[in-house]
């Protein structure tokens, strides 16, 4: 079992309340999509899950290792280190690093023969695959993915989303998947939570939230999102 539970979490930056009494559970083996406009507090909430931002009050409970994947695969990888080296650093002690790096690269559909390549030689989508492999190296039970396709070309977003969904199912990961883009969130999520001004205004099974939104802000987001027939391009 590997739930991630936010229990009445509040985060203040000075007098500004970025996260306001949020209670949210990511059930074991499920993907909760967290959607909301810029500045609504999504990244701040995510950062509390890995201790990057301290909570002002409330608590975050996880009964497994939590790893985070960030938006920008350009700044999250050391440009001077080979991609294999970056992944290798994250492999726990006592495991054959070379074999593990090869396994992880294969897992994210990259050729293990490229382990010695520098990030510079890779496309944005490939770098984001390396960032995923690096996160998975620590054998997490829970992944927090913050806007991981937002910096990518639309043409490769679908492939990365497919990979994320496949890996989540294959490895039985619990995942908090954050995006300001409802079209992206609905592609991967079992449940959807909607955040506005630091608070969760609506949360429920993805189909229910999409088919029968109860909060006016959710309806606004749905009206602004691409229509169902203009589906994300997924290969
Ligand atoms: N380190 C910080 N110090 C002070 N204020 C901050 C800090 N980080 C975020 N904020 C503020 O907290 C609020 C929530 O920011 P946050 O980055 O969590 O939103 P977000 O939903 O992730 O937005 P985006 O969609 O743009 O990534 C914003 O008003 C932001 O300006
Ligand atoms: Mg953010």
């Amino acid at each position: 079992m590997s739930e991630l539970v936010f229990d009445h979490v509040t985060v203040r930056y000075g007098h500004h309340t970025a996260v306001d009494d949020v209670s949210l559970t990511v059930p074991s083996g499920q993907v909760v999509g967290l959607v909301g406009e810029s500045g609504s507090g999504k990244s701040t909430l995510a950062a509390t899950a890995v201790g990057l931002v301290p909570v002002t009050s409330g608590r975050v409970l996880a009964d497994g290792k939590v790893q985070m994947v960030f938006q920008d695969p350009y700044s999250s990888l050391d440009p001077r280190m080979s991609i294999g080296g970056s992944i290798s650093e994250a492999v726990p002690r006592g495991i054959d690093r070379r074999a593990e790096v090869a396994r992880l690269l294969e897992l994210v559909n990259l050729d293990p023969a490229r382990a010695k390549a520098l990030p510079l030689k890779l496309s944005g989508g490939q770098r984001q695959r390396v960032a995923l492999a690096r996160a998975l190296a620590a054998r997490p039970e829970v992944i927090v993915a913050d806007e991981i396709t937002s910096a990518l070309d639309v043409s490769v977003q679908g492939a990365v989303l497919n990979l994320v969904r496949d890996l989540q199912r294959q490895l039985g990961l619990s995942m908090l998947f954050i995006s300001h883009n409802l079209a992206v969130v609905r592609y991967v999520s079992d449940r959807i939570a909607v955040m506005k001004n630091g608070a969760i205004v609506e949360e429920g099974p993805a189909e229910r939230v999409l088919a029968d939104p109860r909060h006016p802000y959710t309806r606004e987001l749905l009206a602004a999102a691409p229509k169902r027939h203009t589906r994300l391009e997924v290969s």
Side-chain angles (χ1 to χ4, degrees):
M1 201 184 90
S2 49
E3 272 188 349
L4 174 63
V5 178
F6 299 92
D7 180 22
H8 294 285
V9 170
T10 292
V11 177
R12 287 196 195 93
Y13 294 117
H15 292 297
H16 178 65
T17 303
V19 172
D20 191 3
D21 193 27
V22 165
S23 291
L24 178 68
T25 296
V26 180
S28 187
Q30 292 203 20
V31 182
V32 173
L34 180 61
V35 68
E37 66 201 359
S38 183
S40 56
K42 305 181 298 297
S43 293
T44 302
L45 183 68
T48 65
V50 288
L52 278 175
V53 166
V55 301
T56 306
S57 62
R59 52 194 187 149
V60 184
L61 307 165
D63 38 34
K65 190 171 180 59
V66 184
Q67 281 286 309
M68 190 144 174
V69 185
F70 296 94
Q71 169 170 357
D72 187 357
Y74 294 87
S75 60
S76 62
L77 294 172
D78 183 340
R80 292 155 306 179
M81 193 180 275
S82 71
I83 59 170
S86 275
I87 297 169
S88 177
E89 270 193 336
V91 173
R93 285 173 198 282
I95 296 175
D96 177 348
R97 282 168 191 265
R98 188 182 299 230
E100 184 65 357
V101 167
R103 183 186 77 82
L104 287 161
L105 283 171
E106 272 174 0
L107 199 59
V108 298
N109 302 330
L110 285 173
D111 183 355
R114 300 194 68 184
K116 291 204 171 69
L118 290 172
L120 194 66
K121 298 283 181 193
L122 274 63
S123 69
Q126 289 171 332
R127 287 184 212 201
Q128 202 53 296
R129 288 167 193 269
V130 173
L132 263 174
R134 190 178 147 83
L136 293 173
R139 311 260 172 124
E141 285 82 19
V142 181
I143 294 274
V144 176
D146 189 3
E147 303 273 8
I148 60 169
T149 61
S150 303
L152 304 179
D153 284 351
V154 174
S155 61
V156 298
Q157 284 186 2
V160 171
L161 286 177
N162 273 338
L163 173 67
V164 164
R165 211 168 57 163
D166 287 351
L167 288 173
Q168 181 268 330
R169 287 186 185 153
Q170 189 184 332
L171 304 174
L173 299 165
S174 315
M175 187 179 293
L176 181 64
F177 184 94
I178 296 169
S179 176
H180 64 280
N181 184 343
L182 189 57
V184 167
V185 163
R186 77 170 159 211
Y187 188 70
V188 296
S189 303
D190 300 301
R191 303 181 68 82
I192 293 178
V194 181
M195 199 165 184
K196 183 174 166 53
N197 295 335
I200 304 288
V201 297
E202 175 153 13
E203 196 271 339
E207 302 96 86
R208 201 281 297 155
V209 173
L210 295 169
D212 179 24
R214 291 177 190 163
H215 195 280
Y217 180 62
T218 312
R219 282 184 220 126
E220 244 177 73
L221 284 180
L222 271 171
K227 297 284 176 292
R228 269 174 195 283
H229 62 266
T230 55
R231 293 183 65 85
L232 272 184
E233 281 185 43
V234 286
S235 51

